[in-house]
Amino acid sequence: MVAVIIVLALLLLLGWTILFHHFKALRAANVNLVKQEQKEASLLFQLREAKERYCRLEEKLRKLQCELQKEKQKEDHR
């Protein structure tokens, strides 16, 4: 009877040990996942800013090209 109780207690202890080990692994994986999500959000923000700068520069380039074309047409008419 005592041996059965000891075996059951050891199985319970082993179960708790395994459960704790898996809990620690899941916690570490969750921390890594959160870090990756933060990095992804940061990179998406940087990409969005770069696209906005690109669009502004592209618009500025179009305006300058248009002005140059107008200047060239004026000179050609002279």
Side-chain angles (χ1 to χ4, degrees):
M1 182 70 179
V2 174
V4 172
I5 294 174
I6 291 174
V7 169
L8 289 175
L10 288 175
L11 286 175
L12 184 63
L13 178 63
L14 179 64
W16 277 108
T17 305
I18 292 171
L19 186 64
F20 182 71
H21 175 73
H22 286 303
F23 174 75
K24 284 174 54 178
L26 284 173
R27 195 171 181 194
N30 188 41
V31 167
N32 287 337
L33 184 60
V34 168
K35 286 181 182 179
Q36 288 175 350
E37 288 173 348
Q38 289 173 341
K39 185 175 182 177
E40 179 187 2
S42 174
L43 290 173
L44 285 172
F45 178 76
Q46 290 175 8
L47 179 62
R48 198 168 30 252
E49 283 186 332
K51 282 182 180 179
E52 289 173 2
R53 278 195 309 268
Y54 175 78
C55 288
R56 285 192 304 266
L57 288 172
E58 199 173 41
E59 182 63 30
K60 192 173 182 179
L61 175 63
R62 274 194 293 271
K63 287 179 182 179
L64 287 172
Q65 286 174 336
C66 187
E67 288 176 15
L68 284 172
Q69 186 68 24
K70 287 178 184 178
E71 289 292 324
K72 186 176 180 183
Q73 287 175 355
K74 283 183 183 178
E75 287 179 7
D76 288 344
H77 288 306
R78 291 182 188 175

